[in-house]
Amino acid sequence: MASSITREWVGLKTFAPATQTKLVELLGRLEEKNVDKLTILVMGKSGVGKSSTVNSIIGERAVTINPFQSEGLRPAMVSRTRTGFTINIIDTPGLIEGGYINDQALEIIKHFLLNKTIDILLYVDRLDTYRVDSLDKLVVRAITDSFGKEIWKRALIVLTHAQLSPPDGIPYDEFVSKRSEALLKVVRQGARLRKDDPVVSSIHFVLVENSGRCNKNESDEKVLPNGTAWIPNLVEKITEVTTRSNKSIYVDKKLIEGPNPNQRGKIFIPILFALQYFFVIKPIERAIKNDVANEAKPLWAIREAKRRF
Amino acid sequence: MNSSFTANHLITTPTLPPPCRTSSYLKCQLPSSSSSDHTKDHSNSTLIKTLSTTFALSSAASIVVFSTSPLRSLLPDASGHFSSGSGGNAGNGGNTGGGGGGGGGGWFGDDGSFWSRLFCLSPAIAADESPSPEWDSHGLPANIVVQLNKLSGFKKYKISDISFFDRSRRVRINAPDDSFFELVSLRPGGVYTKSQLQKEVKTLASCGMFEKVDMEGKTNPDGTISLTIAFTESTWQSAEKFRCINVGLMAQSKPIEMDPDVTDKERLEYYRSRERNYKRRMERARPCLLPMSVHREIADMLRSQGAVSARLLQRIRDHVQKWYHDEGYACAQVVNFGNLNTQEVVCEVVEGDITQLTIMFLDKLGNVVEGNTQIPVVQRELPRQLRPGYVFNIEAAKQALRNINSSLALFSKIEVNPKPDEKSEGGIIVEIKLKELDQKTAEVSTEWSIVPGRGGRPTLASLQPGGTVTFEHRNLQGLNRSVSGSVTTSNFFNPQDDLAFKLEYAHPYLDGVYDPRNRTLRVSCFNSRKQSPVFTGGPEVDEVPPIWVDRAGLKANITENFTRQSKFTYGLVMEEITTCDKSSHICASGQRVLPSGEIADGPPTTLSGTGIDRMAFLQANITRDNTKFVNGAIVGERNVFQVDQGLGIGSNVPFFNRHQLTITRFIQLMQVEKAAGKPPPPVVVLHGHYAGCVGDLPSYDAFPLGGPYSVRGYNMGELGAARNILELAAELRVPVKGTHAYAFVEHGNDLGSSKDVKGNPTEVYRRMGHGSSYGVGLKLGLVRTEYAVDHNSGTGAVFFRFGERF
């Protein structure tokens, strides 16, 4: 894989001890299930904190963060190993550019992912956005169109900037659930899922606060306003989804290019041509001959069929 | 009791020009025609007006009709004369004006056996010696009646007026429209000598209409004379039945003059033999075309009249001839009435049987030359009804003109000219005279075009000089084979934009010139350059870098024409398609401008991905078109099916089946009288077009949606380019003062198949993939002016378009 050199996961050591213990335990749980490699795809709009989330999980500044400008168009993969277990996190550029889906960026992402397996999709958005709009739907749709509906069985919705005080004194949890509901609706519509689709209910929300000013608890873990330590929580959710029986998404050429419409139905062409000949051309020809036979001829032309002297 | 009467001379009236006389030269000159030497008779003939309207549509050639129709409308000012030959047949009247007619002279028998030569009176006097304007006064006291023989032989008398006096009924006939006046060549106001008047009386007496004719004058105070023709009309026994026989091409039985000094027995014998001969003649005669309905009408006329009078016979003749002439049998002529004084009146007609058909070629000076064109090539265009054995019909002749003119673009002048056959009495020779066009032509035509800018509005900056250089070598081997070539560009300033050439060889009569099957082989080599409507932006996209699709290749196809409009074409196409950007560099994909302003690759332009595709495919197109014009409005239906079947030969093994079905119905909403100058009926046009492709579909073969021939109100390709499309349209056309106004609704849909075109150009260039429009318009000549509302944006615009949408 061109973009990354697999290194030892040193960032793990930077976490608070409590977090480390929890993570090691979770990794152990994965190893029990014979999972020795985890590939996480991080996608979302621009400026929602995708790269920061990646860095938070890895525990080091693995990808550069450009807070005030759109990142480059290239996705980046960060790979870390720890005792035979490899974690790959793929950070992608924002999909929205000037109010439209950046098709080119999407194209690049797809090609970057070619021949890789995606175990987890982290769909990143901000918690502190109060509204959802059609752009969200477009992003969800673009992801669905690229990797298929199946990807949502392996998806987690990550809400960044989770350390906030909700407006108008709404309780924090209520705010979170309202925001989640709104986003879930967008995902459902964008992914063209039915309301009662089990996938919808299986999508989990994870709150994240990447900022350095994130509150910490007594064991020096970064915690959210509701008291949850979010890194272990995130990794736990990831583990949970991974250990579900659902298959990972393998990105092959067919998946990213979609079915080749030029190949579709090709074998039926000879039959189609024969049908056209016998059921379109021939009937029209018969109709023409009929027209000729029934042509309204002037009287002079009918009067004497043959009058030789 | 069954006395027979044979009038073996024509009855005709002087003002009714006999058929097949001098060929009157009638012409319809079309605006673009080059020859201008026969324009004077181009006039008040309704026939020619219809002709010209018909031909104006089909050709730019000048057409000259040698019309021989005796219809008055054709020859309005003809002071034609007719010479009745002794045979009394139609047709050999020739060009002689007047001529008192050999074999004139009535022969009146006594009691039952009655001979009269109903003789066509020739207005010899009027024709031969035109009345001199100077005249002499009668020199007699006013208001006295003078017998004709009392007049002076040295004076020229001026006739102030003419009237008839029927002695038997004792009525005076003054009405100038009375059929008697047609018999007289004298005209009120004319100046005549005594001998002329005497000759006139003699002619009248011998014409068979009258038993006795006298002429007397009444002196007027001003020196002129009022003429009264007193007569006793010839009458025969009343008859019940009517029969019409065709005596064309039969030898006329010449009456054997009877010696006046014969015994009664001999005389009786003579009449008997005559009667027998006539019976035999009637049996030999062929049936005529006159339908039973006309027979019945005439029988009714006979029954209601009682005694058969000369005037009645004249009316019958007019009636019979009118039917023939109305049906187009322009050379038909009543020549005789026989079997008079029996229950059944026999009308002898010469219908104008064609005895010969000759095709001749004329050079520029009008001399008969040996043409290059082979005769069968012309013959196969002629309706059967012009062949020997048929009765000459002017409609068939017109049909021949039209066929030769539209099917064979080989002649600058076409004449169809019936003339009397001198060898066969009553026969007609149809003469077709053709003036061939030069075999080799080359021409350069230039034109300035105003290209519609955005929204269909012409802009001054878009004025472009364009033109075509063409050459043609036609009628190779006289078999209408041709080699032609053309180079066209719409902009000489920038010929690389759309320079197109075509070199074609056409080989008609593939199955032989005598085979009625009409198949033409065409082999062509072509190059065309067009801007691809696939790489066009939607309404919000400012500009999409254009892609030019350059096709060069070979095509060989066979076209079978079933009718003038319906045909089946099938053949092989081999072409190389090159896609270029606006600076003529080959490009493998379209470009698109990213929101950031960067330019990135768009959808691929070719199948191979290199910008150059080569492919071979079969192409078949069947068109069923039975539309016709009802007072200028198209009515009928048209179905077109086209299929391009890839053969898997070419870049990336292109295997595909592209098919298109177009169905258009023109439904007449109201029955109208069909005639020239009548308003056309309102028409509803329903149109459906489905196009689809299975297999490899390069973007240049994707079906664009939007445009003046797809969904009006949008630019070409503005709605998208898809694998399968459906277009539906409805238009209501209402005639308005010689043209028509229309309202339309149209819809185009990609059926969700835009994504099945590689690179999805519809989405990349932000197009809707579907759209509707509605609007109203007015047709002004060739230009359609319309206001169309684009339903996607809800805005309307005025468009000017050439030609028809459907």
Side-chain angles (χ1 to χ4, degrees):
Chain A
M1 314 252 163
S3 60
S4 61
I5 311 125
T6 313
R7 275 189 262 159
E8 197 63 25
W9 191 356
V10 285
L12 192 64
K13 306 235 164 44
T14 61
F15 291 131
T19 310
Q20 280 191 39
T21 334
K22 184 85 192 190
L23 290 184
V24 169
E25 187 213 319
L26 289 169
L27 293 178
R29 213 192 292 172
L30 281 173
E31 270 162 40
E32 271 169 40
K33 297 264 177 186
N34 290 326
V35 180
D36 58 351
K37 196 176 159 205
L38 195 63
T39 307
I40 300 167
L41 175 64
V42 183
M43 292 188 93
K45 291 190 285 188
S46 315
V48 290
K50 292 185 295 294
S51 301
S52 308
T53 309
V54 171
N55 289 345
S56 299
I57 297 169
I58 297 294
E60 56 184 287
R61 277 182 65 100
V63 287
T64 45
I65 297 159
N66 307 307
F68 303 109
Q69 63 191 69
S70 70
E71 51 273 73
L73 284 171
R74 297 212 60 81
M77 183 155 91
V78 184
S79 301
R80 295 291 180 267
T81 59
R82 186 192 162 274
T83 58
F85 179 84
T86 312
I87 183 162
N88 300 315
I89 305 183
I90 300 162
D91 183 26
T92 62
L95 285 178
I96 294 294
E97 180 85 52
Y100 288 105
I101 291 290
N102 189 338
D103 297 295
Q104 203 194 4
L106 194 64
E107 232 24 64
I108 293 168
I109 295 168
K110 282 200 239 173
H111 282 97
F112 183 84
L113 293 171
L114 191 61
N115 297 328
K116 292 193 176 71
T117 308
I118 302 166
D119 297 303
I120 295 290
L121 168 71
L122 294 185
Y123 178 71
V124 184
D125 205 342
R126 295 171 69 129
L127 179 66
D128 58 349
T129 314
Y130 307 134
R131 282 193 199 97
V132 289
D133 54 28
S134 61
L135 276 184
D136 297 294
K137 211 194 290 185
L138 282 179
V139 175
V140 173
R141 181 150 298 170
I143 294 169
T144 316
D145 289 347
S146 305
F147 307 108
K149 275 183 194 175
E150 294 294 301
I151 194 102
W152 295 103
K153 290 185 181 167
R154 291 244 152 203
L156 279 175
I157 297 173
V158 175
L159 296 171
T160 58
H161 301 257
Q163 185 170 297
L164 83 159
S165 28
D168 306 331
I170 308 169
Y172 183 80
D173 288 334
E174 198 188 322
F175 180 80
V176 170
S177 71
K178 271 194 176 159
R179 172 80 180 135
S180 320
E181 255 170 53
L183 262 178
L184 197 61
K185 199 178 164 206
V186 164
V187 169
R188 190 170 53 77
Q189 288 172 346
R192 295 191 189 88
L193 295 168
R194 274 178 296 119
K195 242 181 193 151
D196 51 351
D197 199 306
V199 177
V200 180
S201 51
S202 73
I203 296 173
H204 288 281
F205 286 84
V206 187
L207 300 176
V208 161
E209 179 52 66
N210 294 316
S211 156
R213 293 176 285 103
C214 182
N215 295 338
K216 293 185 179 170
N217 64 5
E218 58 285 358
S219 37
D220 204 29
E221 286 181 304
K222 288 182 175 174
V223 288
L224 299 170
N226 61 3
T228 335
W230 67 264
I231 293 178
N233 182 42
L234 173 63
V235 179
E236 190 183 347
K237 289 275 164 62
I238 288 171
T239 317
E240 204 175 291
V241 173
T242 316
T243 51
R244 269 190 225 159
S245 56
N246 296 322
K247 269 196 174 160
S248 308
I249 309 291
Y250 178 70
V251 181
D252 56 8
K253 217 175 167 84
K254 206 174 153 194
L255 184 73
I256 59 169
E257 285 185 350
N260 186 349
N262 283 351
Q263 294 301 326
R264 202 192 314 150
K266 229 177 185 179
I267 54 162
F268 299 113
I269 288 177
I271 300 167
L272 180 66
F273 188 55
L275 290 176
Q276 282 165 348
Y277 182 74
F278 289 108
F279 294 102
V280 183
I281 292 177
K282 281 284 158 191
I284 292 179
E285 199 176 336
R286 276 198 294 276
I288 293 172
K289 298 235 161 105
N290 209 24
D291 286 345
V292 174
N294 296 337
E295 194 185 357
K297 284 188 182 133
L299 279 170
W300 58 264
I302 325 165
R303 197 167 283 131
E304 333 160 57
K306 194 73 192 165
R307 262 188 27 139
R308 290 214 161 253
F309 52 92
Chain B
M1 56 183 266
N2 53 349
S3 61
S4 89
F5 162 81
T6 314
N8 56 357
H9 284 284
L10 294 181
I11 306 175
T12 190
T13 51
T15 49
L16 192 68
C20 309
R21 356 171 329 265
T22 46
S23 314
S24 31
Y25 212 56
L26 292 157
K27 177 182 169 67
C28 88
Q29 178 108 30
L30 294 162
S32 55
S33 156
S34 50
S35 70
S36 58
D37 46 338
H38 317 287
T39 42
K40 60 181 178 193
D41 281 332
H42 167 59
S43 60
N44 37 8
S45 135
T46 47
L47 170 69
I48 293 310
K49 273 178 191 150
T50 30
L51 257 182
S52 70
T53 46
T54 321
F55 287 123
L57 287 167
S58 58
S59 146
S62 80
I63 294 144
V64 180
V65 185
F66 262 75
S67 171
T68 58
S69 167
L71 296 169
R72 276 162 217 243
S73 61
L74 267 178
L75 301 161
D77 52 353
S79 57
H81 310 298
F82 172 78
S83 81
S84 137
S86 55
N89 58 332
N92 59 359
N95 300 346
T96 48
W107 193 93
F108 293 84
D110 40 25
D111 44 38
S113 298
F114 193 79
W115 272 90
S116 171
R117 299 190 167 177
L118 282 175
F119 169 59
C120 154
L121 150 112
S122 309
I125 305 156
D128 294 345
E129 307 131 52
S130 59
S132 103
E134 283 148 32
W135 52 282
D136 307 314
S137 167
H138 50 71
L140 294 166
N143 292 327
I144 59 160
V145 175
V146 194
Q147 295 297 313
L148 181 58
N149 51 15
K150 298 273 165 56
L151 291 173
S152 164
F154 305 105
K155 279 185 174 169
K156 291 174 174 173
Y157 292 99
K158 180 166 182 176
I159 309 298
S160 65
D161 63 298
I162 301 164
S163 60
F164 280 85
F165 181 68
D166 187 337
R167 281 208 187 104
S168 54
R169 288 192 287 158
R170 312 209 64 79
V171 276
R172 186 168 283 276
I173 300 154
N174 282 321
D177 55 344
D178 193 275
S179 64
F180 283 120
F181 286 91
E182 295 175 356
L183 295 170
V184 197
S185 67
L186 305 177
R187 291 286 168 266
V191 177
Y192 305 97
T193 61
K194 180 184 177 183
S195 66
Q196 280 176 324
L197 295 174
Q198 278 170 331
K199 203 171 164 190
E200 183 76 21
V201 172
K202 207 179 152 196
T203 326
L204 282 172
S206 63
C207 82
M209 290 280 294
F210 310 112
E211 272 175 49
K212 196 160 182 281
V213 182
D214 291 313
M215 197 183 273
E216 55 188 28
K218 207 177 108 195
T219 55
N220 289 337
D222 60 355
T224 59
I225 287 178
S226 297
L227 208 63
T228 303
I229 300 163
F231 65 92
T232 316
E233 204 182 342
S234 305
T235 50
W236 298 270
Q237 258 182 43
S238 65
E240 296 257 297
K241 285 189 276 179
F242 175 76
R243 188 166 154 205
C244 187
I245 58 170
N246 177 8
V247 296
L249 310 182
M250 281 172 82
Q252 295 286 332
S253 55
K254 240 187 175 166
I256 312 145
E257 286 300 319
M258 193 167 55
D259 193 339
D261 320 317
V262 286
T263 61
D264 282 357
K265 201 181 164 204
E266 278 170 327
R267 185 174 290 184
L268 202 65
E269 189 56 38
Y270 174 77
Y271 290 138
R272 285 227 174 101
S273 85
R274 177 166 296 285
E275 219 171 282
R276 270 198 308 277
N277 284 341
Y278 194 72
K279 270 218 168 106
R280 212 173 301 136
R281 182 176 159 81
M282 271 166 57
E283 279 157 20
R284 273 204 324 255
R286 289 166 297 131
C288 65
L289 296 169
L290 197 73
M292 279 318 292
S293 59
V294 181
H295 273 95
R296 273 195 297 274
E297 276 169 44
I298 292 168
D300 288 347
M301 269 163 81
L302 284 168
R303 274 193 291 273
S304 64
Q305 286 291 314
V308 175
S309 68
R311 295 177 80 187
L312 179 63
L313 290 180
Q314 212 177 20
R315 284 217 325 267
I316 291 172
R317 180 213 54 201
D318 288 349
H319 197 82
V320 171
Q321 283 188 172
K322 183 176 183 305
W323 180 84
Y324 274 103
H325 298 158
D326 286 352
E327 294 295 320
Y329 300 102
C331 293
Q333 185 74 28
V334 172
V335 292
N336 199 2
F337 281 103
N339 237 13
L340 294 173
N341 276 354
T342 65
Q343 282 294 298
E344 186 178 62
V345 170
V346 173
C347 172
E348 297 178 15
V349 185
V350 167
E351 294 185 326
D353 294 279
I354 298 167
T355 51
Q356 205 185 329
L357 172 72
T358 57
I359 295 169
M360 54 178 83
F361 298 97
L362 305 179
D363 65 7
K364 289 207 168 68
L365 301 168
N367 303 317
V368 176
V369 288
E370 200 177 316
N372 171 47
T373 313
Q374 296 200 17
I375 296 296
V377 171
V378 180
Q379 263 169 348
R380 62 178 287 144
E381 299 301 331
L382 303 177
R384 202 175 51 196
Q385 285 77 9
L386 275 189
R387 286 191 211 150
Y390 289 94
V391 175
F392 177 79
N393 190 301
I394 195 88
E395 295 301 325
K398 280 196 264 177
Q399 177 83 55
L401 265 178
R402 278 196 294 267
N403 285 3
I404 296 173
N405 188 45
S406 60
S407 303
L408 303 171
L410 300 176
F411 308 108
S412 60
K413 198 165 118 182
I414 306 157
E415 293 172 14
V416 178
N417 177 24
K419 57 177 216 184
D421 186 349
E422 255 123 60
K423 293 196 199 90
S424 168
E425 283 172 358
I428 299 287
I429 298 175
V430 177
E431 217 175 55
I432 295 174
K433 289 180 180 167
L434 304 163
K435 206 175 256 183
E436 290 182 316
L437 287 167
D438 285 337
Q439 269 192 284
K440 292 178 195 171
T441 53
E443 65 182 75
V444 178
S445 67
T446 53
E447 58 193 28
W448 286 84
S449 54
I450 301 169
V451 181
R454 253 189 109 72
R457 281 177 288 267
T459 56
L460 203 61
S462 59
L463 202 66
Q464 289 180 348
T468 307
V469 180
T470 37
F471 76 89
E472 185 175 15
H473 192 158
R474 69 187 132 219
N475 207 3
L476 296 168
Q477 298 184 318
L479 285 169
N480 198 15
R481 296 171 189 171
S482 66
V483 174
S484 60
S486 68
V487 179
T488 310
T489 176
S490 65
N491 189 357
F492 274 127
F493 293 148
N494 244 348
Q496 74 272 18
D497 275 2
D498 68 337
L499 190 73
F501 71 81
K502 189 172 187 182
L503 185 66
E504 184 181 78
Y505 170 68
H507 185 113
Y509 321 121
L510 200 62
D511 299 286
V513 73
Y514 294 103
D515 194 307
R517 207 169 173 196
N518 184 0
R519 294 201 298 170
T520 303
L521 169 73
R522 284 192 181 83
V523 181
S524 62
C525 137
F526 61 88
N527 172 51
S528 70
R529 192 157 209 202
K530 281 186 188 131
Q531 194 181 333
S532 172
V534 174
F535 297 89
T536 307
E540 291 157 42
V541 179
D542 280 344
E543 200 176 302
V544 169
I547 293 290
W548 291 87
V549 178
D550 197 336
R551 290 169 189 260
L554 281 171
K555 196 190 251 183
N557 61 35
I558 292 171
T559 304
E560 176 161 10
N561 292 311
F562 296 109
T563 69
R564 201 160 293 287
Q565 297 157 311
S566 298
K567 60 186 182 220
F568 182 27
T569 304
Y570 45 94
L572 178 72
V573 183
M574 283 180 290
E575 59 182 3
E576 181 182 270
I577 300 109
T578 314
T579 50
C580 307
D581 60 16
K582 63 180 168 210
S583 48
S584 293
H585 294 301
I586 295 172
C587 57
S589 59
Q591 288 179 330
R592 56 168 168 174
V593 182
L594 295 179
S596 56
E598 290 172 79
I599 288 177
D601 276 355
T605 54
T606 50
L607 209 56
S608 63
T610 59
I612 299 174
D613 270 3
R614 290 196 181 93
M615 60 170 74
F617 58 92
L618 297 174
Q619 189 170 59
N621 178 312
I622 188 160
T623 303
R624 177 194 176 211
D625 185 345
N626 60 16
T627 56
K628 54 186 189 296
F629 285 94
V630 175
N631 300 341
I634 297 180
V635 171
E637 58 185 87
R638 189 188 298 133
N639 304 328
V640 183
F641 179 71
Q642 178 166 335
V643 61
D644 296 350
Q645 175 60 55
L647 297 172
I649 303 168
S651 329
N652 281 26
V653 198
F655 190 52
F656 56 88
N657 181 289
R658 277 180 101 229
H659 43 270
Q660 300 187 61
L661 179 65
T662 312
I663 295 175
T664 313
R665 294 273 176 287
F666 300 88
I667 302 162
Q668 185 176 348
L669 291 181
M670 213 168 75
Q671 286 304 318
V672 291
E673 196 188 334
K674 284 187 202 173
K678 296 275 182 202
V683 171
V684 160
V685 190
L686 299 178
H687 171 87
H689 173 79
Y690 170 79
C693 179
V694 179
D696 294 315
L697 179 72
S699 68
Y700 49 79
D701 276 342
F703 301 104
L705 274 174
Y709 300 101
S710 170
V711 184
R712 283 177 271 189
Y714 298 94
N715 291 329
M716 273 280 281
E718 192 187 321
L719 289 174
R723 178 174 282 265
N724 304 306
I725 60 162
L726 181 65
E727 289 163 3
L728 298 169
E731 184 173 294
L732 174 68
R733 296 175 174 174
V734 183
V736 178
K737 284 183 185 167
T739 176
H740 69 257
Y742 57 91
F744 62 87
V745 187
E746 301 198 338
H747 176 74
N749 202 306
D750 68 353
L751 306 171
S753 66
S754 282
K755 64 175 192 315
D756 296 336
V757 180
K758 239 183 164 186
N760 200 347
T762 302
E763 197 180 292
V764 166
Y765 298 120
R766 307 202 196 294
R767 289 176 282 186
M768 288 286 280
H770 57 85
S772 306
S773 67
Y774 54 91
V776 290
L778 187 66
K779 188 125 198 281
L780 299 167
L782 284 173
V783 183
R784 285 187 286 135
T785 309
E786 62 195 25
Y787 177 79
V789 178
D790 153 351
H791 203 256
N792 283 353
S793 67
T795 55
V798 175
F799 296 86
F800 297 94
R801 305 283 188 200
F802 280 95
E804 283 289 347
R805 160 73 171 88
F806 304 108

